[in-house]
């Protein structure tokens, strides 16, 4: 097993890399540590790469990076993944602060870069924008959420936090309730990505900044029942759904087996479980707008919820 500890960055194709770099710098508040019409690398103000945009005809997400335990030797990734019938390539200097990566294609068709001992990049740590504290989670559809969940748990050390019925999985690789979601649907389609804000006041600031930039909130504010994060969603210039969230459940101690208690938990203690789709609806806030549901009617209608 490869002991994954945290989410790295997501790589997207974009027909207009400079437009995306400008949006993620000026509105979201990341910093372009590398920028050209061919490729832009966006880091949080604390120097962690969150997004990479590469010029291409589509807007899909072909690659995702995951950071392994620093004691894990990337040379061992091949042995682990070969036992799952997958081949691995070792690559070097693929992004700033990343000396080496073990790269393979996961069963839903996303290239995964396993990173180790990532160095933060230098940023000016000033400037405007929303400035999320980190890249928190990313959701993909897969032909069966169950089989890709099994792979992430068995090969990459993820743990299941919750299921909504058998079609929507929430997986953690550290204390956060989820860093990856898998939803029944077509293989390898990015459903939404989520960036963490500091607190409720930061959600308010973010809402004002989105309004000032004529970016409507398409769902929220509300509090999810599954994961209990407060959320707002909007669409970026390439039409990706972006969630900004705070107060997500934390599994601070795996050996206890429950999420750190919060007053909004209905189960006491709140343990990983399988939710029915009705009980999985947000605790408060209005249902998702038509603009949120656009393009995803089919699987969202089946799920009745979006993590
Ligand atoms: Fe989410």
């Amino acid at each position: 097993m490869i002991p994954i500890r945290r989410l790295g960055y997501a790589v997207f194709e974009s027909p207009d890399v400079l437009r995306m770099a400008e949006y993620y710098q000026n509105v979201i508040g990341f910093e372009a540590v590398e920028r050209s019409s061919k490729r832009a690398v966006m880091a949080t103000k604390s120097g962690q790469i969150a997004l990479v945009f590469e010029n291409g005809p589509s807007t899909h997400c072909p690659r995702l990076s995951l950071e392994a335990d620093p004691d894990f030797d990337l040379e061992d990734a091949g042995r682990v993944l070969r036992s799952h019938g997958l081949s691995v390539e070792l690559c070097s200097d693929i992004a700033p602060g990343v000396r080496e990566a073990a790269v393979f294609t996961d069963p839903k068709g996303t290239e995964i870069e396993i990173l180790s001992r990532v160095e933060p990049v230098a940023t000016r740590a000033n400037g405007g924008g929303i400035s999320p504290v980190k890249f928190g989670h990313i959701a993909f559809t897969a032909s069966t959420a169950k089989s890709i969940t099994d792979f992430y748990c068995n090969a990459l050390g993820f743990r299941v936090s919750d299921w909504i019925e058998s079609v929507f999985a929430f997986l953690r690789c550290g204390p956060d309730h989820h860093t990856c979601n898998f939803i029944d649907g077509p293989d390898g389609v990015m459903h939404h990505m989520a960036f963490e804000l500091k607190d409720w006041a930061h959600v308010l600031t973010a809402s004002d900044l989105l309004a000032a930039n004529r970016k409507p909130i398409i769902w929220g504010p509300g509090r999810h029942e599954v994961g209990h994060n407060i959320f707002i969603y909007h669409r970026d210039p390439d039409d990706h759904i972006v969630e900004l969230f705070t107060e997500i459940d934390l599994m601070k101690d795996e050996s206890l087996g429950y999420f750190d208690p919060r007053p909004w938990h209905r189960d006491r203690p709140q343990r990983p479980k399988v939710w029915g789709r009705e009980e999985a609806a947000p605790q408060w806030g209005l249902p998702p707008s038509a603009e949120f549901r656009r393009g995803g009617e089919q699987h969202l209608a089946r799920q009745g919820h979006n993590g």
Side-chain angles (χ1 to χ4, degrees):
M1 195 231 335
I2 301 171
I4 297 299
R5 294 289 182 251
R6 68 186 303 278
L7 192 57
Y9 50 83
V11 181
F12 288 89
E13 263 191 33
S14 176
D16 194 339
V17 168
L18 291 175
R19 180 176 70 159
M20 291 299 274
E22 184 192 3
Y23 181 76
Y24 276 91
Q25 179 149 313
N26 295 341
V27 180
I28 300 298
F30 291 156
E31 187 169 314
V33 294
E34 195 184 303
R35 173 173 22 195
S36 75
S37 59
K38 296 267 182 271
R39 185 166 103 136
V41 177
M42 311 303 298
T44 63
K45 293 217 164 68
S46 52
Q48 290 179 315
I49 298 172
L51 295 173
V52 177
F53 297 106
E54 294 178 347
N55 184 244
S58 81
T59 58
H60 84 299
C61 174
R63 293 206 299 288
L64 180 71
S65 76
L66 301 170
E67 187 171 349
D69 189 296
D71 290 335
F72 179 75
D73 186 345
L74 287 181
E75 300 277 344
D76 290 337
R79 180 181 46 75
V80 173
L81 291 162
R82 271 193 298 278
S83 73
H84 291 270
L86 299 171
S87 59
V88 181
E89 194 183 347
L90 283 181
C91 303
S92 53
D93 295 321
I94 54 173
V98 178
R99 272 196 299 274
E100 200 178 34
V103 183
F104 70 98
T105 302
D106 77 9
K108 64 178 165 44
T110 308
E111 271 195 339
I112 302 295
E113 299 169 352
I114 305 290
L115 317 179
S116 182
R117 295 185 277 273
V118 176
E119 297 289 332
V121 294
T123 61
R124 293 188 304 275
N126 55 18
I130 293 167
S131 294
V133 292
K134 72 172 191 222
F135 181 22
H137 64 268
I138 188 163
F140 286 93
T141 57
S143 58
T144 76
K146 175 74 174 75
S147 61
I148 192 77
T149 294
D150 287 347
F151 173 78
Y152 270 65
C153 291
N154 296 332
L156 305 177
F158 279 72
R159 284 84 67 195
V160 174
S161 286
D162 281 309
W163 277 97
I164 300 175
E165 298 191 333
S166 59
V167 294
F168 196 131
F170 297 75
L171 276 65
R172 68 183 183 281
C173 60
D176 289 5
H177 178 273
H178 54 285
T179 44
C180 285
N181 289 119
F182 298 119
I183 312 159
D184 273 2
D187 262 336
V189 176
M190 202 289 295
H191 179 274
H192 72 277
M193 55 183 150
F195 304 107
E196 186 174 20
L197 304 185
K198 292 189 290 283
D199 52 23
W200 173 237
H202 199 180
V203 176
L204 174 65
T205 309
S207 302
D208 282 336
L209 275 164
L210 290 174
N213 286 279
R214 301 284 185 269
K215 280 288 175 191
I217 291 171
I218 57 173
W219 191 18
R223 183 187 293 284
H224 282 304
E225 182 70 90
V226 183
H228 296 94
N229 39 317
I230 285 175
F231 61 86
I232 55 171
Y233 293 84
H234 73 283
R235 287 181 184 266
D236 75 11
D238 274 353
D239 214 31
H240 301 303
I241 295 180
V242 176
E243 177 185 4
L244 300 169
F245 71 94
T246 191
E247 293 190 348
I248 199 164
D249 282 346
L250 298 172
M251 178 79 77
K252 288 187 175 171
D253 187 332
E254 288 281 338
S255 59
L256 287 175
Y258 56 80
F259 297 99
D260 214 37
R262 292 289 180 270
W264 41 82
H265 290 169
R266 299 184 208 271
D267 293 355
R268 301 190 178 187
Q270 188 73 51
R271 296 180 186 279
K273 65 186 243 186
V274 178
W275 300 73
R277 71 186 66 191
E278 256 110 65
E279 64 172 342
Q283 286 198 348
W284 52 265
L286 294 170
S289 67
E291 179 61 6
F292 178 90
R293 295 151 61 95
R294 174 170 58 79
E297 289 281 5
Q298 243 180 339
H299 62 251
L300 282 175
R302 286 207 308 276
Q303 269 50 263
H305 174 89
N306 170 62

